[in-house]
Amino acid sequence: NKIIGFKKIPSRPAIYSEFPERLKCEIVDFLKMRGIDKLYCHQSEMFKSADEGKNVIITTSTASGKTLSFLLPVINKILDDPTARALFIYPTKALAHDQFRNMVPFLEYFGSKKIQAGIYDGDTPPNERARIRKNANIILTNPEMINSSFLPNHSLFGFNYIFQRLKFVVVDELHTYRGAFGSHMANIMRRLNRICRYYKSKP
């Protein structure tokens, strides 16, 4: 292999924003404890849009805080309403497990009485699935589980409780849903929206 050229991309200074007014003080305290005194501008903008009930797509560079961008409005809502539910959909099981590890500091800080989360995939044992359906505010899963478990059983096993209280659907790595996989995902989202309308929820 030969190197045929170089391109140097200059660094770009970060643009920060103050914490949004509607972000709860206990979340601000947690962030400051972890050394975060301000948000990136895209994190603040996404929080405000999601808090207003708008649908949002965020596209930023790697390691620029996308996970925190979508976690903040979700956790803010859950602290307001412990019955609120959020579905985090990942294209692979491995990615869901990686992202769950990023959430652990939040879960440990706020405690299970305020926020619970769980990974619901093909490897999840039955007793853990039951706990997640009953208690988890944040459910990390993948398109196949939505298709094969959540949607066909929407009136059974406590899934109806989830759909009735579903406030957020987060689709991570959206750019990976292309071709046949993308068409499959589009149909799953249509079915998911139809079930939400049936339960009079509007995530």
Side-chain angles (χ1 to χ4, degrees):
N1 294 337
K2 292 182 179 180
I3 297 174
I4 59 171
F6 294 92
K7 182 176 182 180
K8 186 174 181 179
I9 301 173
S11 62
R12 188 174 61 181
I15 302 172
Y16 296 99
S17 292
E18 298 297 330
F19 292 115
E21 286 183 14
R22 286 180 54 81
L23 185 63
K24 292 192 172 301
C25 294
E26 49 197 315
I27 298 177
V28 172
D29 292 342
F30 167 77
L31 294 173
K32 287 183 175 178
M33 185 189 75
R34 294 181 63 84
I36 301 171
D37 294 317
K38 292 182 179 180
L39 297 180
Y40 290 127
C41 61
H42 59 269
Q43 292 173 327
S44 179
E45 186 179 344
M46 179 164 181
F47 176 87
K48 291 173 184 175
S49 294
D51 188 58
E52 292 169 2
K54 296 178 181 176
N55 295 321
V56 187
I57 293 178
I58 182 167
T59 307
T60 66
S61 305
T62 301
S64 61
K66 283 191 289 291
T67 300
L68 189 60
S69 298
F70 60 71
L71 264 181
L72 291 180
V74 170
I75 291 176
N76 205 64
K77 179 66 178 176
I78 290 168
L79 293 178
D80 250 349
D81 176 10
T83 69
R85 296 294 183 261
L87 276 178
F88 287 12
I89 303 173
Y90 298 92
T92 65
K93 290 193 289 186
L95 188 57
H97 283 264
D98 284 343
Q99 289 296 307
F100 183 80
R101 283 190 284 272
N102 291 333
M103 294 178 199
V104 168
F106 278 96
L107 301 173
E108 290 177 345
Y109 180 83
F110 290 105
S112 61
K113 290 186 178 179
K114 290 190 174 181
I115 303 174
Q116 291 194 46
I119 300 170
Y120 201 106
D121 62 25
D123 297 328
T124 307
N127 60 331
E128 174 65 0
R129 289 189 184 195
R131 180 198 72 83
I132 291 170
R133 290 194 303 268
K134 184 177 180 182
N135 298 319
N137 306 100
I138 300 174
I139 302 170
L140 295 82
T141 189
N142 56 67
E144 288 308 318
M145 288 304 292
I146 297 290
N147 183 50
S148 62
S149 188
F150 286 69
L151 297 178
N153 298 302
H154 64 83
S155 62
L156 306 170
F157 314 121
F159 284 118
N160 56 331
Y161 186 89
I162 294 170
F163 285 117
Q164 286 167 7
R165 292 158 179 80
L166 192 59
K167 305 297 182 185
F168 294 94
V169 177
V170 175
V171 183
D172 201 13
E173 299 292 318
L174 189 64
H175 64 282
T176 63
Y177 296 102
R178 297 168 180 261
F181 190 27
S183 299
H184 176 54
M185 184 61 171
N187 283 322
I188 289 174
M189 295 307 292
R190 289 186 186 101
R191 290 174 62 207
L192 178 59
N193 278 324
R194 181 171 59 81
I195 294 299
C196 287
R197 286 195 299 272
Y198 177 79
Y199 286 103
K200 296 180 171 56
S201 62
K202 194 178 180 183

